[in-house]
Amino acid sequence: MTDVTMQENDLTIPEDTNTFSLVRQENGIAHLVMDVKGDSMNTLKAEFGEEIAATLKEIREDKTIKGLVLLSGKADSFVAGADVHMLANCTSAEEATALSRQGQMIFDQLENLSIPVVAAVHGACLGGGLELAMACHGRVCSDSGKTALGLPEVQLGLLPGGGGTQRLPKLVGIQKSLDMMLTGKQLRAKQALKAGLVNVVVPHSILIETAEKLALSGKVKPKARKLSLTDKLLEGNRLGRSVLFSQATKMVLGKTKGNYPAPLKIIDCIRTGAEQAPSKGYQVEAEHFGQLVMSDVSAQLRQIFFATTDMKKEQGVEGIQPAKIESVAVLGGGLMGGGIAFVTATKAKLPVRIKDISHQGISHALKYGYDLLNKKVKRRFMRHSEMQNQLANITGTTEFTGFSNVDIAVEAVFEDLTLKQNMVADIESHCKESTIFASNTSSLPIGQIAEKAQRPENVIGLHYFSPVDKMPLAEIIAHDKTSDQTISTTVAFAKKQGKTPIVVKDKAGFYVNRILAPYMNEAGMLLLEGCSIEALDKAMVKFGFPVGPMQLLDEVGIDVGSKIGPILQAELGERFAPPAAFSKLIADGRLGKKAKKGFYQYNTKSKKKLVDEGVYSSLGLQTSNKAVSEAQVERCVYMMLNEAARCLDEGIIRNARDGDIGAIFGIGFPPFLGGPFNYIDKIGAVTLVSKLNQWQAEFGERFAPCDALVKIAQEGESYYSS
Ligand SMILES: NC(=O)c1ccc[n+]([C@@H]2O[C@H](COP(=O)([O-])OP(=O)(O)OC[C@H]3O[C@@H](n4cnc5c(N)ncnc54)[C@H](O)[C@@H]3O)[C@@H](O)[C@H]2O)c1
């Protein structure tokens, strides 16, 4: 019976599962349309190999086809890249190399067609998608803001393995290729035209028509790039190229500290292609690709990519639909308020009203947005009119005018409990019953902010990180009485602002600051033990953090750190006690960058970051140039790992994945290590616990391993199954 129904289904719903279709036009052009059925975007998969090979054979054999236009069946994107999931099936570097070889061969067949082949690009044309387009003889792209071309493989610890490292330099030159492939940056249509990556940019409405005309004209090769004298000197001879490659290598090592292998391999591929036979370049590309696929670094970066993709799809509370947000208020136009208003207007594209007690606060917030967008206008990434449109979404007031329809009010006033409770009362009296009150507090429990609220179910924490326009994380903190609806709506709102939200429990420090504090304190202890400021920052950057702890303290504000410290100590225990001597810095007016007085010098024209030696005497220390040992770096990092394990055990974070993403996106925990929980797995809980025990005996109770870690070590478990 079941069989019959299935057969009937098969008959009644004939499914066209083909990805590539050949549609012949009357003018002799054939359209090769790529459309991965069931997916919202096209990605290249290994299993398409046979189908594309058969289609190319059909094209070769059909002598009536005079030209080919390659286009996407998706409305708003070309090809977003190769399907990263398929790499997980590779069990050896040889297998991954073979995958790259297969891609190279297919693109070769496309390039070797005797008829003109033109790619018609609209929307995302990235990674394998751009490699496919580059294998065509010419490229036309739409002038739409959605169009973006790039090779972002490096961000996943990989390199373009479908001939990209060889074809891109031929089109845009070595310097531009290095810039694109080492950063993964994407080019807009006009930039792609200027770089020589596309032949012509046209409105979307005439994209296909233009591509057909180009194919029919037979003149599909893009115009040769105009080379400046310097370009000729640098790229046109072996010596010049050698300078270029060694500079690029130096720059990469300066940035990655040797922690990421992909950029160096990309340089090697381009160098081989430029210096040796083309076949050798492709061979090296495939071999390097194979090795990178099997590397630990790429595995971690791919896992982060999958985790964030999953998180984008998740709702804050399963089954609860978010309410619509159409109007937003921000209370306080300071450093954080300005950033929050900016991402609301430009990313979420929502009107936002800033309320401050002073006109200065409002103008600060407006200027904050203007400065960021004006930079884009100056670099010609944005039209002036577009900037004006976006800024028109931000308005300011010192009263509560225009608040009656606000759906969510984000509070970013001074860190003061009574003030924040007053803000709740203000919003309850000036806004709707349903208006959500979201606090950006760094340290105050949300439950306390909601204590006097008439509608505590509408109160929630929404903790951003500075600078708001850059930092991708937002912590969403529900207190005991926050409703599921409020959580779900706030999560959706943060996502609209371009944030990756993690929902965390309402306890001092939430997650990110709670794991950051013991790490920072330990760095402070090391300073007091005699390590130099430069050495501390250098060692942590070498470990993989974006900035060192001393510089971070300067950026955040030493006073801010010292305010949060005692709160964490009171709520969570003595292990959070900040180094006592640090209070002397505040007494000395050393508040960090904003006061132009901190660990580093700010009243200097020197480009190099120089330590303000006076800080040693402020702390009652001798000036030091003492290096930091590996064990000392571990002391700081392992304090963070121990606290992260505690947070998971206490349910502060929902799972290890959120803990890893929170640390990477909120603190800049080295992405190549995959976050604290992946790193614990890598070190092994047994080793971690034994080190912590040893330091507990040597340096004190703060190092005591938490119960959860001890249990994991005893039972031979790990956070992720490998
Ligand atoms: N600075 C950071 O890195 C950071 C990071 C995360 C969270 N936070 C939190 O964000 C909040 C704001 O921090 P900030 O660094 O932007 O402070 P800030 O001092 O730069 O700005 C605070 C603004 O609030 C305004 N304000 C004060 N009282 C007000 C009132 N009654 N109504 C309206 N506006 C009022 C002030 O005029 C000022 O413009 C704090 O709770 C802080 O803990 C800060």
Side-chain angles (χ1 to χ4, degrees):
M1 186 68 187
T2 321
D3 279 355
V4 174
T5 322
M6 272 177 68
Q7 269 182 7
E8 277 174 2
N9 275 346
D10 283 348
L11 287 174
T12 46
I13 315 168
E15 238 187 71
D16 176 12
T17 52
N18 279 357
T19 299
F20 295 92
S21 48
L22 204 55
V23 189
R24 291 167 177 82
Q25 311 294 307
E26 282 181 0
N27 56 6
I29 294 292
H31 291 176
L32 177 54
V33 187
M34 179 173 177
D35 191 354
V36 183
K37 303 288 169 349
D39 288 0
S40 58
M41 286 213 182
N42 286 329
T43 52
L44 297 167
K45 302 178 206 265
E47 68 248 34
F48 298 158
E50 273 182 31
E51 191 192 335
I52 181 84
T55 312
L56 291 173
K57 183 164 178 277
E58 187 183 340
I59 295 167
R60 278 194 298 271
E61 287 170 357
D62 186 342
K63 298 298 170 206
T64 66
I65 300 178
K66 291 191 217 145
L68 191 68
V69 170
L70 176 66
L71 57 119
S72 159
K74 307 294 180 200
D76 279 330
S77 61
F78 181 70
V79 180
D83 181 5
V84 189
H85 285 98
M86 70 184 171
L87 301 179
N89 299 329
C90 294
T91 54
S92 68
E94 289 71 29
E95 261 181 57
T97 298
L99 210 58
S100 161
R101 276 297 200 192
Q102 183 195 343
Q104 289 178 350
M105 250 163 48
I106 291 172
F107 291 161
D108 246 23
Q109 288 182 25
L110 184 68
E111 190 172 43
N112 288 333
L113 286 177
S114 56
I115 52 169
V117 182
V118 177
V121 175
H122 168 67
C125 173
L126 303 171
L130 180 55
E131 292 182 293
L132 173 66
M134 287 194 294
C136 298
H137 304 139
R139 283 149 299 281
V140 178
C141 81
S142 82
D143 63 1
S144 157
K146 291 178 183 142
T147 297
L149 301 94
L151 295 174
E153 289 83 350
V154 71
Q155 291 163 355
L156 296 180
L158 299 169
L159 55 75
T165 65
Q166 305 303 301
R167 288 196 179 92
L168 189 65
K170 299 242 156 37
L171 287 167
V172 306
I174 293 173
Q175 295 171 86
K176 187 79 192 167
S177 298
L178 284 167
D179 180 36
M180 284 177 71
M181 283 191 263
L182 295 180
T183 61
K185 73 166 62 149
Q186 303 176 9
L187 303 189
R188 302 257 157 233
K190 271 194 181 164
Q191 296 169 308
L193 181 66
K194 195 169 164 219
L197 190 51
V198 299
N199 303 49
V200 58
V201 175
V202 294
H204 185 206
S205 55
I206 57 164
L207 179 71
I208 309 294
E209 185 188 326
T210 312
E212 285 185 1
K213 275 191 192 154
L214 189 66
L216 282 170
S217 76
K219 293 178 190 142
V220 281
K221 253 186 114 171
K223 269 195 223 149
R225 284 179 312 123
K226 273 193 206 141
L227 290 178
S228 67
L229 187 61
T230 336
D231 286 348
K232 276 186 197 154
L233 281 174
L234 281 173
E235 300 197 10
N237 69 77
R238 212 185 172 97
L239 194 68
R241 287 194 295 270
S242 143
V243 171
L244 272 184
F245 292 127
S246 74
Q247 273 177 349
T249 306
K250 209 168 140 198
M251 189 268 294
V252 161
L253 288 175
K255 279 205 170 147
T256 65
K257 314 290 171 204
N259 289 323
Y260 295 84
L264 295 178
K265 291 202 181 292
I266 289 172
I267 296 173
D268 194 41
C269 291
I270 305 179
R271 189 205 316 256
T272 310
E275 309 296 358
Q276 299 186 38
S279 60
K280 185 73 185 163
Y282 284 95
Q283 185 197 328
V284 168
E285 177 186 276
E287 283 166 6
H288 282 344
F289 179 82
Q291 290 157 11
L292 289 176
V293 167
M294 298 315 291
S295 70
D296 217 22
V297 172
S298 175
Q300 297 294 5
L301 296 178
R302 278 166 7 223
Q303 192 171 334
I304 296 169
F305 171 72
F306 294 137
T308 41
T309 313
D310 286 347
M311 287 163 94
K312 275 184 196 139
K313 292 181 205 147
E314 287 170 13
Q315 288 177 341
V317 185
E318 200 70 48
I320 305 284
Q321 286 304 320
K324 211 164 178 192
I325 298 278
E326 286 175 319
S327 167
V328 181
V330 171
L331 304 176
L335 177 71
M336 298 305 284
I340 297 164
F342 177 76
V343 293
T344 307
T346 59
K347 293 262 171 68
K349 309 242 176 278
L350 290 168
V352 49
R353 195 126 176 91
I354 299 162
K355 152 89 173 66
D356 203 294
I357 30 168
S358 75
H359 286 286
Q360 207 185 351
I362 297 167
S363 52
H364 172 270
L366 294 175
K367 186 169 177 312
Y368 187 99
Y370 172 83
D371 286 349
L372 285 173
L373 291 186
N374 197 36
K375 242 189 230 166
K376 287 192 178 184
V377 172
K378 276 192 179 155
R379 289 187 191 159
R380 294 177 182 241
F381 290 166
M382 181 181 266
R383 290 200 187 95
H384 193 262
S385 56
E386 173 61 11
M387 169 173 94
Q388 282 175 323
N389 274 345
Q390 296 200 5
L391 290 178
N393 259 338
I394 311 178
T395 54
T397 173
T398 51
E399 308 294 328
F400 283 96
T401 48
F403 269 58
S404 57
N405 283 322
V406 160
D407 297 306
I408 185 166
V410 185
E411 166 279 309
V413 298
F414 302 134
E415 188 76 342
D416 179 288
L417 181 61
T418 313
L419 178 63
K420 291 194 193 260
Q421 287 175 338
N422 290 343
M423 293 292 105
V424 175
D426 280 342
I427 291 303
E428 288 186 329
S429 63
H430 290 98
C431 300
K432 301 184 284 190
E433 281 213 351
S434 59
T435 304
I436 292 174
F437 182 93
S439 172
N440 180 44
T441 176
S442 318
S443 58
L444 299 166
I446 306 302
Q448 286 181 23
I449 294 175
E451 223 157 49
K452 298 183 180 158
Q454 287 168 31
R455 295 184 284 277
E457 65 276 14
N458 291 354
V459 179
I460 194 163
L462 176 48
H463 184 212
Y464 300 86
F465 296 81
S466 177
V468 182
D469 56 295
K470 290 217 179 79
M471 296 297 281
L473 188 75
E475 285 182 311
I476 308 257
I477 311 115
H479 69 103
D480 286 350
K481 294 183 185 151
T482 308
S483 70
D484 284 354
Q485 179 67 69
T486 299
I487 300 175
S488 173
T489 305
T490 310
V491 165
F493 173 62
K495 282 201 251 180
K496 273 189 120 179
Q497 291 175 319
K499 301 297 165 202
T500 301
I502 57 169
V503 178
V504 300
K505 227 176 164 174
D506 186 20
K507 200 161 173 187
F510 314 129
Y511 172 65
V512 171
N513 283 340
R514 177 162 163 185
I515 65 166
L516 180 63
Y519 159 90
M520 298 289 275
N521 283 348
E522 202 54 31
M525 302 286 184
L526 291 176
L527 177 64
L528 299 182
E529 281 175 28
C531 292
S532 85
I533 293 166
E534 288 109 326
L536 274 166
D537 278 351
K538 220 168 154 190
M540 290 317 193
V541 169
K542 182 156 189 303
F543 180 80
F545 285 98
V547 291
M550 300 296 122
Q551 193 187 333
L552 184 60
L553 256 183
D554 261 6
E555 302 278 340
V556 172
I558 296 168
D559 54 331
V560 175
S562 77
K563 247 189 187 175
I564 298 177
I567 298 178
L568 298 183
Q569 186 181 356
E571 297 280 327
L572 301 168
E574 278 312 300
R575 68 182 184 281
F576 280 89
F582 269 46
S583 57
K584 293 184 193 160
L585 296 176
I586 317 258
D588 196 23
R590 284 189 190 273
L591 307 186
K593 194 175 174 182
K594 63 184 169 196
K596 293 196 184 306
K597 195 174 174 194
F599 291 102
Y600 286 92
Q601 295 180 25
Y602 294 98
N603 291 315
T604 161
K605 288 204 173 111
S606 162
K607 276 195 180 156
K608 218 177 146 221
K609 268 206 135 354
L610 297 173
V611 166
D612 181 349
E613 304 282 341
V615 80
Y616 290 105
S617 53
S618 300
L619 287 166
L621 299 169
Q622 297 287 327
T623 306
S624 162
N625 56 11
K626 196 176 145 204
V628 173
S629 69
E630 208 171 301
Q632 286 173 319
V633 169
E634 286 176 352
R635 265 172 60 184
C636 299
V637 176
Y638 288 12
M639 283 297 278
M640 184 185 272
L641 301 183
N642 196 17
E643 203 54 39
R646 239 189 220 106
C647 284
L648 181 58
D649 193 40
E650 287 178 19
I652 302 293
I653 41 175
R654 289 176 167 181
N655 48 48
R657 180 205 66 182
D658 283 6
D660 281 339
I661 297 298
I664 294 168
F665 286 3
I667 297 171
F669 190 94
F672 71 94
L673 297 176
F677 294 96
N678 268 306
Y679 192 43
I680 294 175
D681 282 356
K682 189 176 169 181
I683 303 168
V686 174
T687 309
L688 178 56
V689 167
S690 117
K691 278 265 168 91
L692 288 169
N693 281 330
Q694 180 195 324
W695 291 328
Q696 182 185 1
E698 204 172 331
F699 303 108
E701 275 310 297
R702 65 183 186 277
F703 280 104
C706 68
D707 294 346
L709 267 186
V710 173
K711 185 165 171 277
I712 285 186
Q714 277 168 352
E715 295 177 4
E717 287 175 1
S718 59
Y719 284 105
Y720 293 92
S721 54
S722 53

